[in-house]
Amino acid sequence: ASAQLAELQATHQKMQAELISLRAKAASVTDEEREAQDQVAALASEIAGLSEELGVLKDELMSKRERLTEALGVLKSQTEKKESLQQSIAETKEMSATLDSAVETIQGVNQTNVAAAAAAREEQAEIASHNADLF
């Protein structure tokens, strides 16, 4: 009986030692679990912040794309207007040169007609003078 008692006491001591060891391990695991949960919470918070920042950046990008599209539209419109004005100017200059040439031609014809009329009057005067001398 005494041997059994000694054996039971030895088993009891071993179990108490194991219990102490398990409690220490459990405390260590609990600390690690808390640390891991803290890290998870910190990462979740950082992810939320990054997601919010990404959303803001996407909104800014969309706004900038819209402004770029609008600016490109204005640029295209202004370029087309400039080209149209340049074409109108070229056509107007061409028309002006054509009209100048026509005026010069008409003035030349008028001068020729005036000279021819003057020559014809002189010739008629000579004929009239010559006819008067005949009679």
Side-chain angles (χ1 to χ4, degrees), residues 52-90:
E52 185 177 329
E53 183 179 355
L54 179 60
V56 168
L57 290 173
K58 283 182 177 181
D59 289 346
E60 287 177 10
L61 180 61
M62 182 68 77
S63 175
K64 288 178 182 182
R65 281 185 180 159
E66 288 172 4
R67 288 195 319 259
L68 175 61
T69 299
E70 191 176 299
L72 288 173
V74 169
L75 176 62
K76 182 180 179 187
S77 172
Q78 293 296 321
T79 300
E80 289 171 356
K81 184 176 182 178
K82 176 187 170 191
E83 290 170 357
S84 175
L85 288 171
Q86 287 174 328
Q87 183 177 358
S88 293
I89 288 169

Side-chain angles (χ1 to χ4, degrees), residues 20-60:
I20 291 171
S21 173
L22 287 173
R23 282 183 181 159
K25 285 180 183 178
S28 173
V29 169
T30 303
D31 289 343
E32 288 177 17
E33 181 182 357
R34 264 191 235 115
E35 188 177 315
Q37 287 176 349
D38 290 347
Q39 288 177 352
V40 167
L43 283 175
S45 175
E46 188 176 348
I47 288 170
L50 291 172
S51 293
E52 185 177 329
E53 183 179 355
L54 179 60
V56 168
L57 290 173
K58 283 182 177 181
D59 289 346
E60 287 177 10

Side-chain angles (χ1 to χ4, degrees), residues 3-19:
Q4 276 186 332
L5 181 60
E7 191 178 313
L8 284 176
Q9 284 177 337
T11 303
H12 180 260
Q13 279 183 335
K14 280 183 184 179
M15 291 180 95
Q16 279 186 330
E18 266 187 62
L19 180 63

Side-chain angles (χ1 to χ4, degrees), residues 91-102:
E91 289 171 358
T92 302
K93 285 181 178 180
E94 185 179 326
M95 180 63 79
S96 178
T98 300
L99 291 174
D100 286 343
S101 177

